[in-house]
Amino acid sequence: MVRVHVRPLPDSAMIVLRAVDKIYRQGATEVAALRGVTLDIAAGQFVSVVGPSGSGKSTLLHLLGGLDQPTAGEIEIEGTPIAAMSDDEITIFRRRRIGIVFQFFNLLPTLSAEENVALPLLLDGRRARDVRPRVESVLEQVGLAHRRRHRPDELSGGEMQRVAIARALVVEPALILADEPTGNLDTATGEQILELLREANAARGATIVMVTHDPRAAAYAGRTVAMRDGLVVSGDHAA
């Protein structure tokens, strides 16, 4: 049985990165996506991470989600050193403590909206009849209760992103990671998605880290971290 140990961090720190490098190797070529990144994010903050393409912002988000491992340095979330965890441990930790919203939704095409939302709970060993009320509740919160039996190809882009947000919220995560969540949406629909994220932060107290290239989206956050060439160039101190 895999056990995930969490120890509290001082000063309400949710996320701590210390001298984090990420180097990708392509044959004899090395590409430094992150170079000595040190960053603290307090519990309950809504943080936008901005920067040009190739600045390292998406790499940073993938490391925070345990979807990739740093080449060097330390990453802690809720006191858990995720870079030192096994694949099984990080999978369980991510499933229970982190919600991820992707630009391209990442919904399973053969499942309905409610089945996509229920999936993280079912993978965690919960019974379908036990998770149904929770799934119905979050779909109601994102305004999609009436579309719960529709598959992704029957939904608009904005509806698919709301399903993705509901899937992230259903586990009641401490941390939500959003990778360009409005990148494929029109302005009005994007604003609806950003309002849902802001509500998750304000009403639920979830810490949110959102990567975006859109200054209007970044303005929804209470703090902005700017990156360039694999470095944090501003906003590195918790506010």
Side-chain angles (χ1 to χ4, degrees):
M1 178 177 174
V2 177
R3 291 184 173 86
V4 176
H5 300 284
V6 177
R7 62 178 176 82
L9 290 173
D11 302 323
S12 301
M14 160 67 79
I15 298 169
V16 175
L17 294 92
R18 293 289 179 265
V20 173
D21 294 339
K22 179 60 183 179
I23 298 173
Y24 293 102
R25 292 179 173 83
Q26 300 173 344
T29 304
E30 292 188 350
V31 177
L34 295 180
R35 299 187 290 152
V37 169
T38 291
L39 180 68
D40 291 352
I41 295 175
Q45 281 194 318
F46 187 164
V47 178
S48 62
V49 182
V50 301
S53 296
S55 62
K57 57 188 188 296
S58 289
T59 296
L60 174 66
L61 205 73
H62 292 166
L63 294 181
L64 292 179
L67 301 172
D68 204 350
Q69 294 293 317
T71 305
E74 299 178 0
I75 302 174
E76 292 191 3
I77 298 177
E78 292 187 306
T80 299
I82 63 171
M85 299 171 77
S86 69
D87 288 344
D88 286 344
E89 288 172 329
I90 191 59
T91 297
I92 292 171
F93 183 81
R94 181 171 55 240
R95 187 187 299 154
R96 295 176 179 174
R97 304 300 295 160
I98 302 175
I100 304 179
V101 181
F102 297 96
Q103 178 179 358
F104 295 102
F105 320 129
N106 280 26
L107 303 177
L108 294 182
T110 59
L111 300 184
S112 67
E114 63 184 355
E115 289 169 335
N116 269 286
V117 173
L119 192 58
L121 299 179
L122 297 176
L123 290 174
D124 205 35
R126 305 191 199 185
R127 294 179 295 185
R129 68 171 179 265
D130 294 333
V131 307
R132 190 171 297 116
R134 176 68 185 151
V135 170
E136 291 174 354
S137 175
V138 294
L139 283 172
E140 181 72 32
Q141 289 165 26
V142 301
L144 283 181
H146 65 297
R147 305 283 277 168
R148 65 185 185 276
R149 293 193 174 90
H150 289 72
R151 293 191 305 274
D153 62 359
E154 300 170 314
L155 302 173
S156 69
E159 288 172 333
M160 285 191 283
Q161 194 60 294
R162 280 192 267 169
V163 172
I165 289 176
R167 182 182 57 192
L169 293 177
V170 78
V171 300
E172 299 182 313
L175 173 63
I176 296 175
L177 304 175
D179 190 0
E180 300 281 9
T182 63
N184 288 322
L185 307 176
D186 62 72
T187 300
T189 304
E191 288 178 353
Q192 294 172 4
I193 296 304
L194 292 166
E195 287 291 350
L196 287 171
L197 290 174
R198 185 151 65 182
E199 180 182 348
N201 173 248
R204 300 168 178 268
T207 304
I208 298 179
V209 181
M210 176 181 67
V211 161
T212 184
H213 67 280
D214 184 349
R216 290 174 299 180
Y220 274 76
R223 174 186 172 199
T224 298
V225 172
M227 297 189 68
R228 185 179 301 118
D229 298 329
L231 301 169
V232 172
V233 295
S234 68
D236 56 332
H237 299 296

